[in-house]
Amino acid sequence: MVKAIVGACWGDEGKGKITDVLAEDSDIVVRFQGGSNAGHTIINDYGKFALHQLPSGVFRQNITNVIGNGVALSVENFLQEINSVIERGVPAPKLAVSDRAQIVMPYHKELDGLEEARLAAKSFGSTKSGIAPFYSDKYAKIGFQVSDLFDDRDSLYERINHVLDLKTALYKELYHQAPPTRDEVYEKLMEYREALAPYVQDTTTLLYNAVKEGKNILLEGQLGSLKDPDMGIYPMVTSSSPLAGYASVGAGGIPPYAIEKIVTVVKAYSSAVGAGEFVSEIFGEEAEELRRRGGDGGEYGATTGRPRRMGWLDLVAARYGCMVQGATDVAFTVLDALGYLDEIPVCVAYELNGKRIDHFPPTAQLKNCKPILEVLPGWKCDISGIKRYEDLPENARNYVEFAEHHIGVPITMVSNGPSRSDIMYR
């Protein structure tokens, strides 16, 4: 079976943990999009980890972990992550990097930072990981595929010259900075070739054969539906599609019809990093207390360390996110964080220009929306450690079932803690 594990809303829902849990019965885990601009936090017997590019199956020795062709591959971060998990006692993971993946170059990261500085107050809240410049180059057809690293010197220099003709104008005219030289770029590419050589494979054929052989494959996405450049809160979105519909492309070798389950992760409240519309957002001490109690030690970006913006569960956004993902199952996470509340507000609809709406509108309308809240009774106790859904307090179960009713997709997993064992099945 092929399963996709994706986010319903702004990301940071707990996809890494769900992937780590479901990886136990898997043969292959594939990262199919995004780069090192977001982190998947995992807590297991080895400790607590924030993975940025490595697939979340690296902690299990039975798994082949694939960096798919849709990933923005930062070679430095990839190597650093491998070393960091091994140094902490994790056996060397089985890794394969697609020969069709494209590489985040140093100038992508530099240009990302320069553009955010130029935009100043109108910036996108980028992590400055080079993601937008990388994908811009990919679709402008001036990127470097992993397979290009093994091309002959003359062909590479010809490509580099073409790229630098464009980059030099950008550096000098817009940012007034010195551009990289041709030799600097070539030497960096050769450095990457040597570092990646042990991992590079034709993963398209590997995955195609795995599907034919009936292997269990997990497709792991980054961020969530509302950060999709087509279906999300454009323009405050990421630069690749975190939708399950893109997974067959970003993984390569997997037909769309082979994806039988789409597990969409919904957090029991809302959080977001970066700019963009956020209808159910809360502020002040109310937000700070939820931030402090949330996540696996507080709601702070796994990549940036930035405090996440906080809000109540937004069932309009979650329902829309599950719809565009094509969700077959929902994993409902971080329920335990809400145990301190006497009452729990939930956003069940929006008010737009004086009218109630139940759908998630595009950004131009979304910015004028206000939340319509319904208040549910809290359960006022610590639910961590509970192993069976039936043993949850009645109000906790009512909260889950209220969310399920509004989302319209079965909630089949409920997470009540940060570790791999803190999971209940329904």
Side-chain angles (χ1 to χ4, degrees), residues 37-166:
N37 56 321
H40 291 174
T41 301
I42 294 174
I43 298 176
N44 55 33
D45 295 341
Y46 296 106
K48 178 179 177 180
F49 299 83
L51 300 181
H52 304 279
Q53 286 193 125
L54 293 184
S56 298
V58 293
F59 301 103
R60 298 184 186 270
Q61 277 56 70
N62 58 307
I63 288 171
T64 298
N65 295 275
V66 174
I67 303 288
N69 51 263
V71 170
L73 177 61
S74 168
V75 180
E76 292 89 351
N77 290 357
F78 173 71
L79 298 171
Q80 182 181 358
E81 281 194 37
I82 295 170
N83 291 332
S84 68
V85 298
I86 293 173
E87 286 170 359
R88 294 180 59 188
V90 179
K94 300 175 184 176
L95 287 162
V97 173
S98 171
D99 54 4
R100 295 178 183 271
Q102 293 203 19
I103 296 167
V104 178
M105 297 296 293
Y107 53 75
H108 289 138
K109 298 176 186 178
E110 190 173 27
L111 290 168
D112 198 354
L114 290 169
E115 179 64 4
E116 285 288 281
R118 187 185 72 85
L119 291 171
K122 296 182 179 179
S123 69
F124 291 91
S126 168
T127 61
K128 302 181 179 68
S129 303
I131 303 304
F134 163 88
Y135 280 108
S136 294
D137 282 5
K138 179 174 181 175
Y139 295 112
K141 296 173 280 295
I142 55 171
F144 291 99
Q145 279 192 342
V146 168
S147 60
D148 293 331
L149 301 176
F150 303 90
D151 204 350
D152 64 88
R153 179 187 175 95
D154 289 343
S155 296
L156 264 177
Y157 264 112
E158 185 177 341
R159 294 281 308 284
I160 292 167
N161 288 337
H162 175 55
V163 171
L164 288 185
D165 282 345
L166 300 167

Side-chain angles (χ1 to χ4, degrees), residues 171-396:
Y171 268 92
K172 288 184 175 180
E173 301 303 324
L174 185 60
Y175 301 120
H176 310 293
Q177 300 288 326
T181 68
R182 185 178 72 159
D183 290 339
E184 285 173 343
V185 174
Y186 179 78
E187 287 167 12
K188 183 58 68 174
L189 291 172
M190 292 303 96
E191 182 184 314
Y192 291 162
R193 179 170 76 175
E194 182 178 357
L196 290 176
Y199 305 104
V200 177
Q201 291 190 40
D202 172 6
T203 60
T204 303
T205 301
L206 182 154
L207 292 172
Y208 177 77
N209 289 336
V211 172
K212 286 179 64 178
E213 293 163 11
K215 301 281 190 182
N216 288 325
I217 302 170
L218 289 183
L219 306 174
E220 181 182 17
Q222 179 203 75
L223 298 169
S225 305
L226 305 187
K227 290 293 185 178
D228 181 78
D230 290 291
M231 307 306 296
I233 53 172
Y234 188 87
M236 300 303 185
V237 293
T238 192
S239 300
S240 64
S241 176
L243 300 184
Y246 179 74
S248 61
V249 177
I254 295 178
Y257 56 78
I259 304 173
E260 298 177 48
K261 270 192 176 292
I262 299 172
V263 180
T264 305
V265 186
V266 176
K267 192 149 63 175
Y269 53 90
S270 299
S271 70
V273 169
E277 305 305 326
F278 187 0
V279 175
S280 69
E281 187 170 10
I282 57 177
F283 304 92
E285 181 52 35
E286 188 176 46
E288 183 53 37
E289 184 161 14
L290 182 55
R291 182 181 298 115
R292 193 165 54 241
R293 293 173 178 271
D296 50 34
E299 287 285 357
Y300 300 91
T303 298
T304 64
R306 288 184 294 189
R308 292 179 180 138
R309 299 162 64 194
M310 305 302 297
W312 302 123
L313 174 61
D314 185 336
L315 290 170
V316 180
R319 180 169 58 246
Y320 172 79
C322 288
M323 177 185 77
V324 298
Q325 292 286 9
T328 61
D329 299 71
V330 165
F332 200 64
T333 58
V334 210
L335 183 65
D336 52 300
L338 301 177
Y340 72 99
L341 290 161
D342 292 311
E343 296 180 322
I344 308 172
V346 178
C347 178
V348 296
Y350 295 161
E351 180 187 316
L352 175 61
N353 300 327
K355 295 182 179 179
R356 178 186 174 120
I357 63 169
D358 297 306
H359 66 277
F360 190 82
T363 308
Q365 296 172 25
L366 190 65
K367 66 184 181 184
N368 296 317
C369 289
K370 299 175 182 178
I372 295 175
L373 300 173
E374 188 166 329
V375 178
L376 302 182
W379 46 94
K380 289 296 290 182
C381 65
D382 182 6
I383 62 169
S384 60
I386 295 175
K387 300 300 180 186
R388 298 194 321 143
Y389 178 77
E390 296 78 12
D391 295 334
L392 285 174
E394 181 180 4
N395 284 347

